[in-house]
């Protein structure tokens, strides 16, 4: 019998492994930079030529290797990171398979110079297409420099697969952006064809990393995530509704420092956000989950970024809570801010200057120090309150103190106004508030313990009606719900054919809004009840306006309007209007209702309900803080 089973020689095995792990220049960079991070480097420099097709060099100041290790690391399954299968469950490094270096060296001209700080001389190794060419002593700095030339020269199929230099460069830039977010203390630099593409100095402050990746303006529009339980923690930043994107491109999630995709995490994030906001845009997020390694499935393919957890439910609720808390405690209430200089001198201590060549260049901000030129920044550009009370950080990127995070299980409890007239907004940034009056019959003016609030009466009422209608049958709605008022004399209402169809389709939504309609044949309906809130404001006209808008919308969409949209339209039509005078009682009642809402900060479309001018900001404006 002829022998048909063969053992693959190492070099063939390496090349096959390379086919799986090394797809393109950026995957080489990923493996090398991850090794540098595992080696404890605090400074990592990546140099590419032709997007990495001609040359890739990664230089680090990590622990380096002695000669024996340097030779060994080029063998298959040589790793310093695990010793036995048991270790697999406690992996805290980015690599552990011992495959990357031999794989890369099997499909390129590979050059390594490495030296631990304790050693006198460096070791230099050359490998070409997997064949060890030379090992010798050399001069070199502490750390490791690996140079890859002619990637895929001996694997023509892969070679053909490479894209333009620009595309390959973009891949590496994206990769470095993710690494900057995950390893904000480490300095990264990227040079392409001799030009510096990215230079990030490293900072203990993760906001500096966010600014480097998404721009300083993004940092201003983001609030910190902060959730800790016994088995895991969630940190990072999520954007307010004022900063969203059309795609998920600015959403990055990490587990123990590793960039991942997780359905569980994405769902948890989306659901928390969607409970507070409608719309099809995506918030910007950098979310870091820290979890015991043994609860993460490590047995996934090295290039796959999908991750699984042994307790998906815990992860889901942690992410959900983190996002929800962040939005409710700080994310959704814009604060009025007097604009000031954003120059480097006024950056908070410990914030390294940021220098980004490609990507989001920062437009210089002018200092608006003179009284006459200062301006109030409105919601879209409002800045988070800064926290240290010195005023010296005016215009600083974000709070230097973390906003207070309150963990409330479920919704905050509703309390009627106390004797001093304060309404409790427990669990929210507001704390509690008291109505002072009404401005232009449009805005309710209120005060909290540390701020004056302007509340848009129409949007506030819209939110209250919307949540009450959406809740429909819940217990809360029985207490706070939309009260339908039976008409003593039921009215018949006539609709055109197209509108009648909408009425028939969305009768339950209308009913939730308090309009009780019964079909009476053809386009005729009997109106038996109307919402009490609009009973004396011409309810039939309001009903017609709602139906007209629903008809227009469904024509535009060529689909019936969803239940929620119908309710949003109804709440808009039924809410008090700008220009409606309100009594103190009515305003207090409205804000008491608002305090009971799941989200008292934005209308269903994300427009802000309240604007805060903090006492601190006022004091600054009145020059009460400062040298005098
Ligand atoms: P893995 O990272 O899975 O262990 P690699 O093939 O990527 O496998 O690397 C093999 C070994 O080489 C690592 O375990 C590490 O000990 C060593 N090594 C690789 N790169 C560096 C570096 N930049 N600095 C120090 N040691 C390194
Ligand atoms: Mg590795």
């Amino acid at each position: 019998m002829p022998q048909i089973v063969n053992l693959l020689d190492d070099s063939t095995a390496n090349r096959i492994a390379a086919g799986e792990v090394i797809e393109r220049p950026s995957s080489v960079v990923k493996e090398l930079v991850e090794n540098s991070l595992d080696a404890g480097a605090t400074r990592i420099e990546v140099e590419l030529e032709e997007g990495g097709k001609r040359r890739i060099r990664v230089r680090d100041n990590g622990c380096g290797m002695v000669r024996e290790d340097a030779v060994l690391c080029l063998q298959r399954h040589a790793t310093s990171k695990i010793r036995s299968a048991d270790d697999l469950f406690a992996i805290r490094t980015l690599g552990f398979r011992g495959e990357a270096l031999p794989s890369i060296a099997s499909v390129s001209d590979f050059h390594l110079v490495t030296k631990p700080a304790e050693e006198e001389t460096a070791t230099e190794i050359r490998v070409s297409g997997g064949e060890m060419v030379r090992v010798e002593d050399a001069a070199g700095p502490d750390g490791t420099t690996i140079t890859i030339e002619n990637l895929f020269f001996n694997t023509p199929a892969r070679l053909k697969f490479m894209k333009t230099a620009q595309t390959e460069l973009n891949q590496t830039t994206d990769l470095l952006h993710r690494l900057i977010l995950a390893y904000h203390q480490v300095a990264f630099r990227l040079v392409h064809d001799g030009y510096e593409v990215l230079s990030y100095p490293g900072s203990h402050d993760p906001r500096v990393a966010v600014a480097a990746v998404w721009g300083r303006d993004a940092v201003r529009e983001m609030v910190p995530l902060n959730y800790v339980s016994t088995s895991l923690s969630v940190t990072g930043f999520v954007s307010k509704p004022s900063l969203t994107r059309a795609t998920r491109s600015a959403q990055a999630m990490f587990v123990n420092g590793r960039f991942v995709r997780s359905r569980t995490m994405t769902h948890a994030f989306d659901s928390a956000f969607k409970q507070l906001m409608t719309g099809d845009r995506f918030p910007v997020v950098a979310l870091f989950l820290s979890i015991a390694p043994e609860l993460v499935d490590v047995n996934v393919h090295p290039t796959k970024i999908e991750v699984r957890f042994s307790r998906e439910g815990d992860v889901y609720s942690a992410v959900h809570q983190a996002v929800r808390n962040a939005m409710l405690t700080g994310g959704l209430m814009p604060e009025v801010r007097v604009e000031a200089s954003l120059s480097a001198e006024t950056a908070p201590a410990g914030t390294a200057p940021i220098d980004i060549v490609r990507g989001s260049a920062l437009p210089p901000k002018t200092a608006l120090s003179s009284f006459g030129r200062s301006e109030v920044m409105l919601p879209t550009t409002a800045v988070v309150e800064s926290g240290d009370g010195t005023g010296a950080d005016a215009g600083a990127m974000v709070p230097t103190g973390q906003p207070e995070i309150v963990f409330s299980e479920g919704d905050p409890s509703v309390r009627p106004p106390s004797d001093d007239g304060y309404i409790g907004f427990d669990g929210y940034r507001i704390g509690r508030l008291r109505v002072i009056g009404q401005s232009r019959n449009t805005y309710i003016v209120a005060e909290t313990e540390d701020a004056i609030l302007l509340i848009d009466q129409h949007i506030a009422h819209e939110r209250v009606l919307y949540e009450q209608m959406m809740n429909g049958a819940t217990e809360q709605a029985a207490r706070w719900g939309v009260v339908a008022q039976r008409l003593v004399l039921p009215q018949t209402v006539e609709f055109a054919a197209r509108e009648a169809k909408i009425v028939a389709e969305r009768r339950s939504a209308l009913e939730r809004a308090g309009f009780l309609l019964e079909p009476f044949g053809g386009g005729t309906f009997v109106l038996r009840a109307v919402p009490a809130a609009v009973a004396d404001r011409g309810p039939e006209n309001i009903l017609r306006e709602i139906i007209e808008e629903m008809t227009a919308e469904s024509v535009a969409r060529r689909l019936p309007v969803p239940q929620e949209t119908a309710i949003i339209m109804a709440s808009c039509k039924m809410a008090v209007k700008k220009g409606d005078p309100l009594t103190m009682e009515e305003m207090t009642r409205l804000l008491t209702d608002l305090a009971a809402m799941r989200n008292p900060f934005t209308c269903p479309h994300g427009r802000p309900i309240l604007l805060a001018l903090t006492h601190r900001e006022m004091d600054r404006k009145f020059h009460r803080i400062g040298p005098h």
Side-chain angles (χ1 to χ4, degrees), residues 115 171 193 203 254 256 259 271 322 503 535 548 552 586 602 621:
K115 176 173 117 54
Q171 293 279 334
D193 290 340
S203 166
F254 303 83
N256 296 342
F259 177 77
S271 86
V503 174
E548 268 166 35
E586 285 169 330
T602 59
K621 194 63 192 153

Side-chain angles (χ1 to χ4, degrees), residues 121-369:
T121 48
T123 303
E124 179 177 5
I125 298 179
R126 262 178 214 287
V127 182
S128 184
E131 299 295 322
M132 187 87 72
V133 180
R134 195 161 59 219
V135 181
E136 59 194 3
D137 283 350
D142 296 347
T144 303
T145 301
I146 294 179
T147 310
I148 310 297
E149 286 177 321
N150 308 319
L151 182 64
F152 301 137
F153 77 91
N154 54 356
T155 50
R158 283 278 162 192
L159 194 59
K160 266 212 311 252
F161 227 62
M162 286 203 276
K163 302 272 167 43
T164 63
Q166 186 59 46
T167 304
E168 298 298 345
L169 171 64
N170 290 346
Q171 293 279 334
T172 293
T173 311
D174 288 348
L175 167 75
L176 287 181
H177 279 163
R178 297 199 286 261
L179 290 166
I180 287 170
L181 290 172
Y183 294 87
H184 56 85
Q185 331 81 307
V186 176
F188 290 92
R189 185 161 177 263
L190 173 62
V191 174
H192 185 243
D193 290 340
Y195 289 95
E196 188 176 77
V197 174
L198 186 158
S199 169
Y200 170 72
S203 166
H204 68 272
D205 185 346
R207 291 168 299 184
V208 178
V210 171
V213 173
W214 289 317
R216 268 193 217 194
D217 291 340
V219 179
R220 272 202 211 96
E221 300 297 319
M222 294 176 91
V223 284
L225 295 168
N226 203 342
Y227 177 94
V228 186
S229 80
T230 45
S231 60
L232 48 80
S233 76
V234 176
T235 56
F237 299 90
V238 59
S239 68
K240 303 181 200 178
S242 46
L243 176 73
T244 54
R245 303 258 168 116
T247 68
R248 287 191 189 277
S249 61
Q251 298 195 335
M253 304 209 183
F254 303 83
V255 173
N256 296 342
R258 199 186 287 266
F259 177 77
V260 298
R261 295 236 160 81
S262 149
R263 290 172 66 88
T264 299
M265 289 169 73
T266 308
H267 279 166
F269 180 86
D270 285 357
S271 86
F273 211 81
K274 288 220 172 81
Q275 280 183 6
L276 303 174
M277 215 89 34
T278 56
D280 47 8
R281 298 196 40 103
F282 298 98
V284 176
V285 62
L287 189 151
F288 302 92
L289 177 75
S290 297
I291 184 171
E294 54 270 27
L295 300 179
V296 184
D297 182 1
V298 291
N299 224 353
V300 285
H301 192 271
T303 58
K304 291 226 174 83
I305 48 181
E306 273 86 26
V307 68
R308 282 191 299 269
F309 305 98
S310 55
R311 293 195 219 144
E312 300 275 353
D314 289 0
V315 171
Y316 184 93
S317 68
V319 172
H320 188 95
Q321 280 286 337
V323 173
R324 193 181 151 74
N325 287 335
M327 298 312 283
L328 289 182
T329 51
L332 296 178
M333 183 168 63
E335 291 183 4
V336 178
R337 180 86 194 229
V338 181
E339 197 178 351
S341 162
L342 234 189
S343 68
E345 301 91 81
T346 56
T351 307
I354 294 156
D355 172 17
I356 310 157
V357 176
R358 178 178 172 269
S360 36
L362 308 171
K365 291 264 154 97
T366 46
L368 294 175
S369 52

Side-chain angles (χ1 to χ4, degrees), residues 415-424 432-434 447-449:
R415 283 211 223 120
S418 59
D419 289 347
D420 56 4
Y422 274 97
I423 302 165
R432 50 185 216 140
L433 64 74
R434 192 168 68 95
E447 67 179 356
T448 68
E449 250 125 57

Side-chain angles (χ1 to χ4, degrees), residues 454-468:
L454 295 176
I455 298 140
D456 185 310
Q457 63 191 37
H458 171 70
I459 302 180
H461 196 199
E462 206 179 7
R463 160 56 67 179
V464 168
L465 292 169
Y466 164 78
E467 280 200 27
Q468 289 171 342

